[in-house]
């Protein structure tokens, strides 16, 4: 069964406020696409543009592929859409690990976003700190500020790792809420590499945050995040800290990822 007909098959169940459980990863991608199209239409109608930050990793691949398909891509005003990234690995855009590269293959190569509206995080620069400063200037030039002085994206797509990280905000990475920076370049100990990422205050400045999460390996972290269970040593997981100050947060997940949430 293809993704589009899968999406029509069973409506998602709201297992918790803001936590929508779909039968399969394909159905979750379909629900995320439906919500993105709806939000995009509201934003373009209200402000003439749609400022969207894309998630990295593998889970969003199915979503981007769906958005690139004829049924879906015709519903989006790509000419008035700007694309940003929530985080990026320190690799060239054509490297297999590049979040930009994955989005380009699955989405950008199939839709007509003006190239000046595609704002790649240039995390392959030798001076990552300088690249982060340049990205902050791009955000400043294009986005309104929220009441806390942080750039306000219309929609931020996020994934979540099995350890509860999101974007490139990892457990043990210091106090993500305590920064005034908009873009940071944390050393990710467990990966032994730096990343470039939007900071928590920028994620929390968004009008809409949508977590797309699939797979049984995420079930324990999702339970901890949704129920805000503190970790040993205190504090909740980074994904749990994403709670927009003046915006909406939803989780669109498959049944496997939701398997630890009480029915
Ligand atoms: C990244 C992502 C990261 C991702 C999670 C989940 O650059 O890796 O931004 O936060 O969303 O690691 O990745 P999967 O979707 O591949 O499980």
């Amino acid at each position: 069964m293809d993704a589009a007909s899968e999406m029509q098959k069973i409506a998602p169940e709201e297992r918790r406020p803001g936590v929508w459980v779909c039968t399969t990863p394909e159905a979750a991608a379909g629900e995320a696409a439906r919500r993105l199209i709806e939000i995009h239409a509201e934003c373009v109608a209200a402000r003439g543009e749609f400022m969207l930050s894309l998630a990295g990793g593998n889970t969003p691949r199915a979503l981007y592929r769906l958005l690139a398909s004829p049924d879906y891509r015709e519903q989006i005003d790509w000419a008035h859409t700007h694309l940003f990234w929530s985080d990026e690995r320190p690799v060239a855009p054509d490297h297999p690990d590049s979040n930009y590269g994955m989005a380009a293959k699955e989405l950008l190569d199939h839709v007509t976003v003006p190239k000046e509206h595609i704002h790649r995080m240039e995390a392959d620069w030798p001076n990552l700190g300088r690249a982060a400063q340049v990205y902050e200037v791009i955000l400043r030039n294009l986005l309104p500020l929220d009441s806390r002085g942080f750039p306000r994206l219309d929609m931020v797509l996020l994934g979540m790792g099995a350890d509860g990280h999101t974007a490139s905000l990892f457990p043990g990475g210091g106090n993500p809420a305590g920064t005034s920076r908009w873009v940071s370049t944390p050393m990710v100990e467990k990966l032994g590499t730096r990343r470039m990422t939007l900071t928590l205050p920028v994620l929390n400045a968004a009008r809409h945050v949508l977590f797309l999460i699939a797979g049984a390996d995420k079930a324990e972290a999702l339970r901890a995040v949704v129920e805000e269970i503190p970790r040993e040593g205190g504090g909740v997981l980074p994904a749990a800290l994403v709670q927009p100050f003046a915006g909406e947060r939803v989780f669109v997940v498959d049944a496997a990822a939701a398997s630890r949430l009480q029915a």
Side-chain angles (χ1 to χ4, degrees), residues 2-5 7-8 33 37 65-76 78 111:
D2 69 21
S5 49
M7 203 267 283
Q8 262 75 46
I37 289 167
R65 215 172 276 161
L66 205 50
L67 292 174
S69 66
D71 289 357
Y72 287 76
R73 68 171 175 244
E74 306 306 328
Q75 299 181 58
I76 294 177
W78 297 105
V111 296

Side-chain angles (χ1 to χ4, degrees), residues 56-59 87 89 99 159-161 165-167 195 218:
N58 290 308
T59 305
D87 70 330
R89 292 86 179 274
N99 287 335
M160 185 188 72
H165 82 262
T166 190
R195 291 273 192 94
K218 312 289 177 75

Side-chain angles (χ1 to χ4, degrees), residues 39-257:
I39 290 166
H40 136 274
E42 283 165 19
C43 293
V44 171
R47 289 176 297 281
E49 58 191 10
F50 178 45
M51 307 306 237
L52 169 64
S53 180
L54 297 177
N58 290 308
T59 305
R61 204 182 279 275
L63 168 60
Y64 301 161
R65 215 172 276 161
L66 205 50
L67 292 174
S69 66
D71 289 357
Y72 287 76
R73 68 171 175 244
E74 306 306 328
Q75 299 181 58
I76 294 177
D77 180 353
W78 297 105
H80 293 95
T81 295
H82 283 255
L83 296 177
F84 304 81
W85 272 260
S86 303
D87 70 330
E88 186 55 277
R89 292 86 179 274
V91 297
D94 59 355
H95 187 283
D97 288 350
S98 166
N99 287 335
Y100 167 86
M102 185 274 275
K105 177 173 178 291
E106 303 298 352
L107 178 60
L108 307 187
D109 292 351
H110 311 281
V111 296
T112 51
V113 180
K115 66 180 185 318
E116 62 275 14
H117 287 193
I118 298 174
H119 311 293
R120 179 176 79 88
M121 282 186 164
E122 294 176 314
D124 49 327
W125 278 15
N127 184 337
L128 202 52
R130 178 80 190 107
Q133 289 170 342
V134 167
Y135 209 73
E136 288 184 345
V137 172
I138 291 171
L139 298 175
R140 183 175 298 283
N141 290 343
L142 290 168
L143 297 174
L145 302 184
D146 76 350
S147 59
R148 289 167 173 79
F150 289 95
R152 185 160 168 77
L153 286 151
D154 287 321
M155 184 173 197
V156 172
L157 293 173
L158 291 173
M160 185 188 72
D163 62 358
H165 82 262
T166 190
S168 285
L169 306 175
F170 282 76
N175 170 21
T179 181
S180 58
R181 293 298 306 272
W182 297 2
V183 182
S184 64
T185 59
M187 169 54 85
V188 182
E189 298 305 338
K190 71 185 284 189
L191 302 176
T193 179
R194 278 195 182 282
R195 291 273 192 94
M196 188 187 292
T197 185
L198 297 182
T199 61
L200 184 67
V202 173
L203 301 180
N204 282 336
R207 297 176 199 274
H208 300 272
V209 170
L210 189 152
F211 279 93
L212 179 60
I213 301 172
D217 61 321
K218 312 289 177 75
E220 185 45 41
L222 182 64
R223 184 177 74 91
V225 165
V226 166
E227 293 170 9
E228 293 195 25
I229 299 166
R231 283 175 285 151
E232 297 83 55
V236 296
L237 294 174
L241 294 171
V242 178
Q243 304 197 21
F245 300 124
E248 170 205 43
R249 176 187 80 170
V250 295
F251 292 86
V252 176
V253 306
D254 74 343

